[in-house]
Amino acid sequence: MSGEPIPVLWLCGPPGVGKSEVGWEIYAELGRAGVAAGYVDVDQVGICYPEPASDPGRHLMQARNVGAVVAGYRAAGARCVVVSGVVDTARGVHVDRIADQIPGAALTVCRLRVGQDELRRRLLGRTGSTVVMADAPRDAEAMDASGIGDVCVDTSGLSVTEVARRVRERAGGWPSPAAPATDPLPAPSPAPSPAPGLAPAEGSVLWLCGATGVGKSTVGFTLFQRALAAGHTAAYLDLDQIGCCAPAPADDPGNHRLKARNLAAVWQTYRAAGARCLVVVGQAEDECAIRTYADAPAPATVTVCRLHAGREELVRRILSRGLGGSWAQPGDPLKGRPTARLLQVADAAAADAEALERAALGDLCVATDGHTVEEVADAVAAAVAAACRLRSSSSF
């Protein structure tokens, strides 16, 4: 497969049309069929502000990071990759420019659309949506007028599963020719060296880890927003969102090698955009996992801060997340799950939290029981400053 283009299916369309849900469904279908595949949500690899004046909307930044993640997935054995996210032709970002950022890919762009009334209903039902309702119909009309995409699928009145089926049919049975069933996967190749002409730069990386439900994402994003408010060019990254590639190798079930490779590549793009601080959130079950990432974001000062919570707090948060009351992420394994299953996850999370506590994992540890997100963010910032890990460049 090394000399052949890797099939990449990019689902685009206006906010609320269902890009992430449909993209994840196709990725899950491929996994159930035994096809080694990857998935990446464009929004998750473009959280870097202020945006460069030369790239309003950060669309080229996102495409460059998609290209890096696709390369990582391919090196890990993926036979095809599903991408979901906006393609903004209104700002002059055309598909051919995006394709240039994903070398070695056979790119198929599928535009999803929906009627105006249903689009409004979907947006009203989205928890935590930041889309301005008045803008959504205009954006949808602009995309319809653009005619962007190799194929177009109307999602009106259809379930996610039905849309996924139609997308693959309209795209010629994508991936076509059929991607082979999984073989033993090779380890990802080392992260690429910095591009010629990219001068080394110091940076600060704060990695929040901890058990499921401990609050990594919500606290991490709060610290990222504080860095922006303080006038820093900052970035945010969820490790899970650059490691959606299955099956994972038997000797690395957490996909840490792959995530470390992709972290290095994405951080390089963010540094080129001016970022000097990065908030990373993600699991690390032991010191071996942390060492896998040790050199990934170089050159940078890396501080690993573990968040801790007891079982009662974890149960409360995981049950809330099951109801969609927490940080939204593509393919959230907890959203919509029955209570019995969520309680099993909480028991496992509590056991993990205790194991991490006994191992004293991380440079710092902050307890989150009974505290608000803002209070935990305050405690993390104080702990980082007290430890002098980020020295005078502290942005958190």
Side-chain angles (χ1 to χ4, degrees):
M1 173 110 183
S2 60
E4 301 175 2
I6 183 171
V8 175
L9 176 65
W10 189 311
L11 301 173
C12 68
V17 78
K19 300 180 293 294
S20 297
E21 293 87 348
V22 174
W24 188 267
E25 175 62 22
I26 294 174
Y27 168 62
E29 288 177 359
L30 292 166
R32 290 191 291 268
V35 177
Y39 170 80
V40 58
D41 186 298
V42 169
D43 289 342
Q44 300 292 326
V45 292
I47 307 177
C48 180
Y49 294 90
E51 61 192 26
S54 60
D55 185 19
R58 296 157 292 111
H59 296 291
L60 289 177
M61 174 196 295
Q62 291 169 331
R64 189 170 297 118
N65 279 339
V66 167
V69 172
V70 168
Y73 288 170
R74 182 171 187 165
R79 283 15 180 192
C80 55
V81 178
V82 183
V83 179
S84 62
V86 171
V87 175
D88 191 352
T89 56
R91 301 198 192 196
V93 181
H94 299 292
V95 172
D96 56 348
R97 294 187 69 194
I98 288 174
D100 289 342
Q101 304 299 324
I102 315 176
L107 179 64
T108 300
V109 177
C110 177
R111 176 167 55 89
L112 303 182
R113 71 169 312 279
V114 68
Q116 295 282 345
D117 290 342
E118 186 163 345
L119 178 62
R120 291 188 181 92
R121 286 196 298 272
R122 291 182 185 182
L123 288 172
L124 286 171
R126 280 172 57 168
T127 302
S129 175
T130 59
V131 176
V132 179
M133 289 296 295
D135 293 343
R138 184 183 66 247
D139 293 343
E141 288 178 356
M143 294 213 73
D144 281 342
S146 73
I148 188 174
D150 301 296
V151 293
C152 178
V153 173
D154 193 316
T155 70
S156 302
L158 300 178
S159 68
V160 171
T161 302
E162 290 170 329
V163 175
R165 176 179 56 80
R166 290 197 183 186
V167 167
R168 297 184 68 183
E169 288 176 351
R170 299 276 177 85
W174 191 91
S176 182
T182 56
D183 299 320
L185 302 185
S189 58
S193 300
L198 180 62
E202 290 299 323
S204 302
V205 176
L206 174 61
W207 179 4
L208 297 182
C209 66
T212 298
V214 79
K216 300 180 291 293
S217 298
T218 48
V219 173
F221 201 76
T222 297
L223 290 166
F224 161 68
Q225 290 177 312
R226 288 185 180 186
L228 296 181
H232 301 285
T233 299
Y236 172 91
L237 186 64
D238 185 329
L239 291 176
D240 284 346
Q241 297 301 318
I242 56 171
C244 299
C245 186
D251 65 342
D252 186 24
N255 254 342
H256 293 302
R257 290 195 299 262
L258 170 61
K259 293 175 185 177
R261 182 194 193 281
N262 285 343
L263 169 61
V266 171
W267 176 229
Q268 179 178 321
T269 299
Y270 288 160
R271 287 200 302 113
R276 294 297 176 264
C277 55
L278 171 67
V279 180
V280 175
V281 300
Q283 297 279 31
E285 60 272 13
D286 52 34
E287 286 290 346
C288 181
I290 289 178
R291 286 196 299 272
T292 302
Y293 296 86
D295 298 324
T301 300
V302 180
T303 301
V304 179
C305 179
R306 175 172 49 87
L307 302 184
H308 179 76
R311 184 184 184 281
E312 182 177 345
E313 186 75 9
L314 291 172
V315 167
R316 183 184 67 80
R317 294 178 185 176
I318 288 171
L319 289 176
S320 174
R321 186 166 149 188
L323 295 173
S326 186
W327 185 265
Q329 63 176 348
D332 189 338
L334 301 183
K335 185 176 180 180
R337 302 292 288 176
T339 299
R341 174 56 184 156
L342 294 173
L343 290 175
Q344 289 177 344
V345 172
D347 285 339
D352 289 344
E354 288 305 314
L356 295 174
E357 184 78 354
R358 289 193 299 271
L361 192 73
D363 304 304
L364 309 169
C365 179
V366 171
T368 68
D369 296 81
H371 296 293
T372 66
V373 171
E374 291 293 337
E375 289 170 342
V376 176
D378 287 342
V380 171
V384 171
C388 299
R389 289 291 186 180
L390 302 183
R391 299 182 178 89
S392 61
S393 63
S394 176
S395 306
F396 308 105

